[in-house]
Amino acid sequence: MIIEEEGIKLELPALLHKKAFYNPKMRVVRSLNIEIYSAFNFKNFLDLLASIGANSLRIKKELNLDVYANDISKEAINLMKRNTEINNLNINIFNENAKYLSLSLIHISEPTR
């Protein structure tokens, strides 16, 4: 099933699968993220627990930041890749342990001066 959130189309995981996640109640939080990030001069966005990419794709589309999205679940990664294709957006996708990835990418989250 494909839904739309603020101009982003998202293919959702099958109901029986628990390895990918989408919470429609977090739409407000994702919108607040856009407002907060737009108030600062960030050039990158790191989403260590991106799941299907709802937040990451909205950040990319609405703010055009360089987005680094990660999830440990291969099912979530496959849906995130599909969602980037559906929306014709380009983000950097990782299938890593968030702890180790954050250490290797820590420099990307610094604001532009």
Side-chain angles (χ1 to χ4, degrees), residues 19-21 47-48 50-53 69-84 91-96:
K19 295 181 181 179
F21 183 76
D47 190 350
L48 289 172
S51 192
I52 66 169
N70 176 69
D71 204 276
I72 196 75
S73 162
K74 291 195 185 296
E75 182 181 350
I77 291 298
N78 290 335
L79 281 168
M80 191 183 331
K81 287 178 180 177
R82 174 78 177 119
N83 288 331
T84 60
I91 63 174
N92 302 287
I93 298 174
F94 299 91
N95 181 217
E96 301 290 338

Side-chain angles (χ1 to χ4, degrees), residues 25-83:
K25 294 179 182 177
M26 293 299 287
R27 177 184 224 154
V28 173
V29 174
R30 289 187 286 271
S31 292
L32 287 172
N33 282 344
I34 299 295
E35 295 301 318
I36 291 167
Y37 270 79
S38 68
F40 295 94
N41 194 19
F42 289 109
K43 62 179 181 176
N44 302 302
F45 178 75
L46 174 60
D47 190 350
L48 289 172
L49 306 171
S51 192
I52 66 169
N55 199 35
S56 296
L57 291 170
R58 285 195 54 196
I59 292 282
K60 181 63 179 178
K61 182 172 184 173
E62 296 179 46
L63 301 178
N64 197 29
L65 301 181
D66 290 331
V67 174
Y68 300 83
N70 176 69
D71 204 276
I72 196 75
S73 162
K74 291 195 185 296
E75 182 181 350
I77 291 298
N78 290 335
L79 281 168
M80 191 183 331
K81 287 178 180 177
R82 174 78 177 119
N83 288 331

